[in-house]
Amino acid sequence: MEVEGAQICELSERELHEATVTTPVNIAVVKYWGKRNNDLILPTNSSISCTLNQDHLNTKTTVRASSSYTDDRFWLNGIEETISNSPRLTTVLVTLRAIRKEKEKTLGPLAEGEKPLSEWKLHIASENNFPTAAGLASSSSGYAALAVCISKVLELDLTASELSKIARRGSGSACRSLYGGFVEWQHGVDPSGEDSCAVSIAPESHWPELEALILVVSDVKKSTPSTSGMSTTVKTSELFPLRVNEVAPKRIKQMEQAILEKDFNSFATIAMKDSNQFHAVCLDTFPPIFYLNDVSRGIITLVHRFNSQVDPATGEPLGIRAAYTFDAGANAVIFVLKNNVKELVEYIASHFPPATLQPTSVYFPDPFGIFRSADAPTASGFEEYLKATPKTFELLPTFEPGSVRRIIHTNIGDGPRNKPCSASLLNVSGMPRRAKD
């Protein structure tokens, strides 16, 4: 493996037309749902998201251009997909090549027989380290990675804002993954889409106490794709105009203020209400769209019970300490401040226990070591907690073991990262290292 990595580095140094990046997932706390222009992917309302730490959730993409390649080729998680079958992928490629062609007009003449870089074919390999199309925003990180990688390979000097407009053409929410921290996708008013781009509200360092737990309920591809779901909602939901014209604009301002002031109570309240309304609009669609399931609804109940607890010493309410949000899928993202994470994990595990015989390290890897101590220097502290009885939490229904498949503990993270040539997903011949039949 080291030899192949060295060969790839030598190839990259010689041709200088390969790039590898990782990009983060972002989770919207004021949702985007519905388009005013389907072709340009222009949203009906602005949205705000939190960028999650890509050490835990990321898309990794390698793009290599070569004058010897005969076709553009694309592999997702080791499986080749036909580029012509994806209009959005094609749009991103065509857009970036057009920018390169414009740049080439200002460059000097080529040697006889040499093709301009804009005409070189591309081999693209992309991998997600989390379930694809299961409501965990895989398209947002995927198209962000694609836009960044291709722009580097084609030697384009584009800003994050400019790249966000291109990534948006692949997947709307992808524009927000061009930044770390807290991001607004401004819906814009220009019919051309030139003012519909992502902007930073605050960097990842702004609110270090804010963390997230992702409860993976299902790895199954969602039954209603977001694109078709949005289209049906815009056409049929009577609640949708109220959300677009009144509720969402107000929440954008409130959420931005809550983030800048690090006001968790307001942040949590807005996030939960907006998630609820998004799914209410989906239910108001005809025929209705169901992204949540019984386990999802159980998680919602659990968070509200967690937030209704009182201090046992004083009897005073502890206040809102956790906030759920659900995108177009059954999986939950729960935002929580760092000092409440351990108690919340215990609360979740009490009511959504791991599958029988499931290793503790799979159910909850404990990447930040919140269950470690001098007596339990590894994640075994969580395993000991699971064995302890009885649980002291108020009575809630306990779901079947394995209803929550795993808990991913993460925090707010940075934007796209450049990776060394040794991290390439393509081998020396330009094929994916981990190709699948």
Side-chain angles (χ1 to χ4, degrees):
M1 196 68 169
E2 292 181 359
V3 174
E4 184 177 76
Q7 290 173 333
I8 291 170
C9 286
E10 290 174 4
L11 177 68
S12 297
E13 289 171 2
R14 185 170 68 252
E15 293 198 347
L16 297 176
H17 295 302
E18 176 177 300
T20 298
V21 301
T22 59
T23 48
V25 164
N26 73 77
I27 299 297
V29 287
V30 177
K31 309 290 187 187
Y32 136 67
W33 190 254
K35 304 183 185 77
R36 58 188 173 90
N37 184 307
N38 288 323
D39 293 333
L40 296 176
I41 310 188
L42 301 179
T44 52
N45 63 271
S46 297
S47 56
I48 290 178
S49 65
C50 302
T51 301
L52 301 183
N53 189 336
Q54 58 189 296
D55 289 342
H56 310 127
L57 295 160
N58 71 66
T59 295
K60 181 180 180 183
T61 297
T62 295
V63 175
R64 185 184 300 165
S66 174
S67 58
S68 65
Y69 294 160
T70 57
D71 294 289
D72 291 324
R73 300 180 69 180
F74 174 69
W75 294 267
L76 177 60
N77 296 323
I79 301 174
E80 185 165 16
E81 300 194 358
T82 303
I83 292 177
S84 60
N85 289 343
S86 174
R88 294 186 176 186
L89 177 55
T90 301
T91 295
V92 172
L93 284 170
V94 168
T95 301
L96 288 164
R97 278 188 167 130
I99 297 172
R100 173 66 196 183
K101 286 182 180 179
E102 284 300 310
K103 180 178 179 177
E104 288 169 350
K105 292 178 181 178
T106 66
L107 303 178
L110 298 173
E112 185 176 351
E114 184 179 354
K115 291 193 299 185
L117 183 56
S118 60
E119 296 180 10
W120 290 22
K121 299 301 183 181
L122 304 178
H123 282 197
I124 306 165
S126 189
E127 294 182 354
N128 298 320
N129 69 348
F130 58 94
T132 301
L136 284 176
S138 59
S139 62
S140 68
S141 56
Y143 275 101
L146 188 72
V148 172
C149 253
I150 296 177
S151 69
K152 289 182 178 296
V153 167
L154 296 183
E155 300 176 353
L156 305 177
D157 186 20
L158 299 176
T159 65
S161 178
E162 290 169 331
L163 283 170
S164 78
K165 298 175 192 177
I166 297 168
R168 186 201 76 216
R169 299 291 303 276
S171 172
S173 57
C175 69
R176 299 189 304 245
S177 283
L178 268 296
Y179 294 90
F182 304 87
V183 186
E184 179 182 349
W185 174 13
Q186 298 176 334
H187 72 293
V189 295
D190 191 323
S192 72
E194 278 303 302
D195 58 351
S196 181
C197 61
V199 296
S200 174
I201 296 173
E204 64 271 16
S205 59
H206 170 68
W207 200 352
E209 300 84 7
L210 186 65
E211 300 190 350
L213 298 173
I214 300 172
L215 276 56
V216 180
V217 173
S218 172
D219 290 352
V220 177
K221 188 174 182 178
K222 56 196 177 191
S223 58
T224 304
S226 297
T227 299
S228 60
M230 287 184 199
S231 178
T232 308
T233 295
V234 171
K235 293 175 183 176
T236 65
S237 171
E238 296 179 4
L239 293 178
F240 182 71
L242 174 67
R243 170 170 175 77
V244 169
N245 297 323
E246 297 184 32
V247 179
K250 177 180 66 177
R251 285 180 177 159
I252 288 290
K253 295 178 181 179
Q254 293 171 337
M255 180 58 81
E256 182 174 355
Q257 182 179 356
I259 289 169
L260 293 175
E261 296 178 357
K262 295 186 278 190
D263 177 356
F264 185 78
N265 184 80
S266 296
F267 172 91
T269 301
I270 298 165
M272 290 188 285
K273 285 186 174 182
D274 200 73
S275 177
N276 293 344
Q277 189 185 66
F278 157 54
H279 288 280
V281 168
C282 289
L283 287 175
D284 189 52
T285 301
F286 193 80
I289 303 169
F290 301 97
Y291 286 125
L292 305 183
N293 59 24
D294 287 344
V295 178
S296 308
R297 289 183 280 273
I299 293 169
I300 292 172
T301 300
L302 178 142
V303 170
H304 283 293
R305 293 288 181 89
F306 183 78
N307 287 337
S308 67
Q309 291 179 315
V310 299
D311 187 324
T314 65
E316 293 295 319
L318 292 172
I320 295 178
R321 298 183 296 152
Y324 57 78
T325 186
F326 293 80
D327 281 345
N331 300 307
V333 179
I334 304 178
F335 289 100
V336 57
L337 296 179
K338 183 180 297 185
N339 59 349
N340 293 318
V341 173
K342 185 173 184 289
E343 182 183 351
L344 180 57
V345 171
E346 292 173 346
Y347 201 71
I348 293 167
S350 297
H351 302 289
F352 297 92
T356 306
L357 303 180
Q358 182 184 25
T360 303
S361 59
V362 174
Y363 177 73
F364 181 65
D366 197 14
F368 296 100
I370 60 174
F371 282 91
R372 294 173 196 163
S373 65
D375 298 327
T378 68
S380 62
F382 179 63
E383 187 173 355
E384 292 304 313
Y385 167 77
L386 290 176
K387 294 176 181 177
T389 54
K391 304 295 187 272
T392 58
F393 300 119
E394 63 179 292
L395 182 62
L396 277 172
T398 298
F399 281 70
E400 288 293 321
S403 295
V404 168
R405 301 178 62 145
R406 62 188 185 279
I407 303 172
I408 302 170
H409 182 191
T410 187
N411 54 2
I412 306 302
D414 58 351
R417 298 176 185 172
N418 297 320
K419 308 301 287 186
C421 58
S422 58
S424 176
L425 295 176
L426 297 170
N427 61 24
V428 175
S429 62
M431 301 297 288
R433 291 189 183 186
R434 291 180 287 277
K436 299 178 183 178
D437 294 331

